[in-house]
Amino acid sequence: MDEQTAQALKAFTTRYCDAWHEKNDSWPLSEELYGVPSPCVISSTGEAVYWQPQPFEGEANVNAVERAFDIVIQPAIHSFYTTQFAGDMHAQFANETLTLLQTWSVDDFRRVQENLIGHLVTQKRLKLSPTLFIATLENELEVISVCNLSGEVCKETLGTRNRSVLAPSLAEFLTQLKPLL
């Protein structure tokens, strides 16, 4: 496990939850995750759930993705997706407004791995170097991802070679994130 990435993710999650507490006097609330089982759920309203991060349960790696492509995935990606269960969190990085993706449960973790595999299949078919997404942007054709060759965090336009480096590492990227509520 990449300990720097795990620590940076936990630190950002704490900043996010603290900002939410300060603004709303509660744990984060999500309408999108209402009715979806998770160890993170504290309570529900009629249409939303309050959640708090929980330790990841299960095998702490994305080996299913590695096996599917017979490649080695950057250690930071293993840590990013297996440090905790949490809801997706809105954030700001420089001029980018994003939604940091998280796994919500063991079932969601399986789904995320399947989506990562699908992303890599498309990249291979288009002869693009492999990236693994970690966040979405308002423009659905763009994502924030980690380059599997360099470990750099990039903004990329899906299905193209358009990529711009945002940070030299996932830990550095997470350290610079600011919570958006």
Side-chain angles (χ1 to χ4, degrees):
M1 179 179 271
D2 178 349
E3 198 55 44
Q4 283 184 314
T5 298
Q7 288 175 354
L9 178 60
K10 288 177 187 175
F12 171 72
T13 303
T14 298
R15 290 194 309 276
Y16 183 86
C17 291
D18 287 350
W20 193 283
H21 275 290
E22 191 172 306
K23 182 177 180 184
N24 302 296
D25 199 28
S26 73
W27 284 97
L29 181 71
S30 172
E31 292 178 5
E32 294 85 12
L33 296 169
Y34 177 74
V36 182
S38 169
C40 300
V41 175
I42 301 170
S43 64
S44 297
T45 68
E47 55 206 29
V49 294
Y50 289 98
W51 63 268
Q52 79 182 98
Q54 296 296 318
F56 184 82
E57 298 168 6
E59 200 174 326
N61 58 58
V62 291
N63 287 353
V65 179
E66 288 186 328
R67 285 189 302 273
F69 277 84
D70 195 28
I71 61 173
V72 175
I73 300 293
Q74 286 279 335
I77 289 294
H78 290 281
S79 292
F80 179 77
Y81 280 115
T82 65
T83 292
Q84 64 188 12
F85 290 127
D88 295 344
M89 295 174 276
H90 302 290
Q92 184 85 33
F93 180 89
N95 296 328
E96 300 295 339
T97 299
L98 58 97
T99 301
L100 192 68
L101 302 174
Q102 289 290 277
T103 54
W104 183 240
S105 65
V106 172
D107 287 342
D108 188 41
F109 178 63
R110 274 193 288 276
R111 183 189 59 76
V112 166
Q113 286 192 94
E114 290 168 2
N115 289 342
L116 288 168
I117 291 167
H119 180 70
L120 289 167
V121 165
T122 300
Q123 289 179 318
K124 187 173 184 176
R125 187 172 38 83
L126 297 173
K127 296 180 174 52
L128 300 171
S129 58
T131 62
L132 299 124
F133 55 80
I134 59 162
T136 58
L137 297 165
E138 249 180 68
N139 179 343
E140 293 179 6
L141 296 177
E142 297 178 323
V143 294
I144 305 295
S145 59
V146 174
C147 175
N148 200 51
L149 303 178
S150 67
E152 295 170 322
V153 176
C154 303
K155 174 182 175 181
E156 73 173 288
T157 304
L158 296 172
T160 73
R161 296 190 189 291
N162 295 348
R163 295 181 184 166
S164 55
V165 176
L166 301 177
S169 71
L170 184 47
E172 180 66 28
F173 175 81
L174 293 167
T175 300
Q176 293 181 41
L177 276 184
K178 301 203 177 355
L180 276 184
L181 307 181

